[in-house]
Amino acid sequence: MPLLAATELTKTYGHADQGTRVVDRVSFAIERGETLGLVGESGSGKSTIARMVLGLIEPTRGTVLFDGNPITGVPQSKLRPLRRRMQPVFQDPYAALNPRMTVEQIVTEPLVIHERTSRTQRRRRCQDLLRQVGLDDSALRRYPHEFSGGQRQRINIARALALQPELLVLDEPVSALDVSVGAQIVNLLRDLQREFSLTYLFISHSMPLVRYLATNIAVLQGGKLVEFGTRDQICDSPREDYTRNLVAATPEMKAG
């Protein structure tokens, strides 16, 4: 059984028949420990799919199953046990962190919400998480504005890992960062996946980034899934002109 399976996902804003369809009958599955790269230009429906997968918005039609459990059409109260097993990392590391909270408060907030742990236990867990993402204990009492964009995204990742999830939904996690910092974050994500056997839905407009991380690649154009296959199939022998243009747009990312 795939860890995540989406079937015929469709999202229309406005009237169901005459509104704007931003996602059109998209289906895919992700096996445990694998990465699906969801790639396409801005406006192709990638972020809408991420929100439907996370249960943040309902599809107009279609279903999402997480480990065999429905995400769609389920009351929010019943999604709570599943939410700790699937966590997001969003695009903007500046907007994602509460500026009035310390790093310790930010990273341990999921533990406060979902687990009955002592403050001492939460601090130790926070220290471990910060080390795992390349930060040290000096970050605990500091605030988001004291960190660079790359460091803030590391804090976001630490928070996402707090509940030991199985799936991370990574929605353009490095697009707001410069190239060298973004490469460091992508290498971190690769290392964390190997260490903790994580499953990723990695969303990007950059084919080189997707090629670097993904096991399989789904190509979106105008809300439609136009091509799906293994990383090598899509990058070495793309069938569609749209995919070929994405592959040719930027040079291949090298391992770091």
Side-chain angles (χ1 to χ4, degrees):
M1 177 191 300
L3 182 62
L4 182 74
T7 304
E8 295 284 307
L9 275 186
T10 300
K11 185 63 178 178
T12 302
Y13 289 102
H15 191 276
D17 296 323
Q18 299 177 342
T20 301
R21 182 170 291 187
V22 295
V23 176
D24 189 1
R25 293 173 294 176
V26 171
S27 300
F28 58 83
I30 315 176
E31 300 294 335
R32 294 175 186 276
E34 294 189 346
T35 298
L36 175 64
L38 193 59
V39 63
E41 296 174 327
S42 296
S44 60
K46 305 186 300 296
S47 292
T48 301
I49 289 173
R51 293 187 183 99
M52 289 190 285
V53 164
L54 289 164
L56 300 178
I57 60 174
E58 282 286 320
T60 306
R61 285 191 292 275
T63 59
V64 178
L65 296 179
F66 179 79
D67 198 16
N69 299 293
I71 298 294
T72 50
V74 175
Q76 290 295 313
S77 59
K78 292 189 176 181
L79 288 180
R80 184 182 174 94
L82 296 178
R83 289 201 183 282
R84 61 178 299 140
R85 300 173 60 193
M86 50 193 303
Q87 292 289 311
V89 176
F90 292 118
Q91 175 178 357
D92 188 349
Y94 303 94
L97 302 178
N98 187 331
R100 297 182 179 180
M101 296 173 69
T102 66
V103 168
E104 182 176 5
Q105 291 171 324
I106 289 167
V107 173
T108 60
E109 185 179 26
L111 300 175
V112 173
I113 295 170
H114 289 275
E115 294 187 356
R116 293 180 178 179
T117 53
S118 69
R119 184 173 180 180
T120 299
Q121 290 172 317
R122 291 195 298 270
R123 171 162 288 188
R124 288 175 182 163
R125 176 69 175 141
C126 184
Q127 290 169 324
D128 289 341
L129 288 163
L130 291 175
R131 293 188 196 106
Q132 287 163 4
V133 300
L135 299 172
D136 59 37
D137 292 359
S138 66
L140 286 170
R141 294 182 177 86
R142 296 164 65 191
Y143 290 85
H145 73 269
E146 301 178 61
F147 295 90
S148 67
Q151 289 171 325
R152 293 183 202 190
Q153 197 60 296
R154 289 174 188 269
I155 295 166
N156 279 322
I157 294 168
R159 178 176 59 186
L161 294 175
L163 295 172
Q164 299 178 300
E166 297 158 64
L167 172 73
L168 290 188
V169 177
L170 302 151
D171 189 3
E172 298 272 12
V174 300
S175 64
L177 307 174
D178 67 41
V179 174
S180 62
V181 174
Q184 293 170 14
I185 297 297
V186 169
N187 282 323
L188 171 65
L189 291 170
R190 180 197 59 183
D191 294 343
L192 290 170
Q193 183 174 40
R194 291 173 177 172
E195 183 174 357
F196 299 111
S197 300
L198 294 165
T199 303
Y200 288 162
L201 174 59
F202 183 77
I203 296 169
S204 180
H205 64 274
S206 169
M207 184 64 84
L209 288 177
V210 170
R211 180 174 193 167
Y212 183 63
L213 274 182
T215 313
N216 296 303
I217 297 175
V219 182
L220 283 176
Q221 182 182 21
K224 294 178 181 289
L225 186 62
V226 296
E227 197 157 356
F228 184 94
T230 67
R231 173 181 57 204
D232 291 342
Q233 287 171 341
I234 296 298
C235 294
D236 296 338
S237 304
R239 299 190 313 270
E240 301 292 326
D241 288 341
Y242 179 75
T243 307
R244 282 193 283 270
N245 290 335
L246 288 175
V247 171
T250 44
E252 181 179 354
M253 180 179 171
K254 303 298 182 183

